[in-house]
Amino acid sequence: MIVPDEGYLAKAKQLCERENVLFMADEIQTGLCRTGKMLACDYENVRPDILILGKALGGGIMPISAVLADDEIMLTLKTG
């Protein structure tokens, strides 16, 4: 496991905002209290534009994943 330097996520989020790029956080391994906080992004108070979750959602019984975002982003996705 590689733990980024303090401030890394906040700087990445700022760069994405400056360049008008969505900031996606892949919390499949780290999400839902596995690091001591609900999400690893919570350590730097970073709110991703798109959040990817998995593993803990299925409790080790079912392989379940989720992609979360605000309506502004989610409503642009179409099937197919």
Side-chain angles (χ1 to χ4, degrees), residues 6-70:
E6 189 173 327
Y8 176 86
L9 292 177
K11 287 177 185 174
K13 173 69 173 172
Q14 290 171 353
L15 177 63
C16 287
E17 288 175 350
R18 186 180 79 218
E19 299 297 326
N20 198 28
V21 173
L22 294 175
F23 179 79
M24 298 175 65
D26 180 344
E27 296 258 11
I28 289 176
Q29 293 288 337
T30 57
L32 301 182
C33 304
R34 292 174 140 207
T35 64
K37 295 218 180 216
M38 181 67 79
L39 301 169
C41 288
D42 292 344
Y43 282 96
E44 295 191 32
N45 296 315
V46 172
R47 186 174 188 273
D49 299 305
I50 299 174
L51 178 65
I52 305 165
L53 290 172
K55 293 218 184 252
L57 294 177
I61 306 293
M62 293 282 266
I64 299 172
S65 296
V67 175
L68 308 172
D70 289 334

